[in-house]
Amino acid sequence: MDEMDKENTKINDENNDSSEENEEDNYLVVGMFLGMCLGMTVGNLLFKNIGIGMSIGMCLGLAIGSSIKQKK
């Protein structure tokens, strides 16, 4: 690397607007996982269709998981 590339890399690293710093921690993935599992079970028992139950469970898990904030 020449001097100009090193300087450009340094500037880009400083100006990197990472979204990780602005994100709040929540239980989104855990809610989706549990929603899918419970939705598949309920969908199989009530609707006799796993796909419908999984879709409903995933949406509910996503909504509930994203509303609960994690403690840091």
Side-chain angles (χ1 to χ4, degrees):
M1 286 181 138
D2 61 349
E3 218 34 61
M4 190 66 157
D5 287 339
K6 288 181 183 178
E7 192 173 313
N8 286 338
T9 304
K10 188 176 185 180
I11 291 171
N12 288 339
D13 286 342
E14 291 173 358
N15 294 336
N16 187 9
D17 294 331
S18 178
S19 62
E20 294 176 4
E21 296 172 0
N22 299 332
E23 288 183 7
E24 295 180 6
D25 293 331
N26 55 28
Y27 291 102
L28 183 87
V29 175
V30 176
M32 284 177 60
F33 172 73
L34 292 174
M36 282 177 57
C37 293
L38 294 174
M40 285 173 57
T41 305
V42 171
N44 194 21
L45 293 175
L46 296 181
F47 307 123
K48 302 292 186 225
N49 190 343
I50 291 176
I52 293 174
M54 185 170 54
S55 301
I56 294 170
M58 194 164 90
C59 290
L60 289 174
L62 183 118
I64 293 169
S66 64
S67 66
I68 299 173
K69 305 296 179 207
Q70 283 184 350
K71 295 178 183 176
K72 289 188 177 185

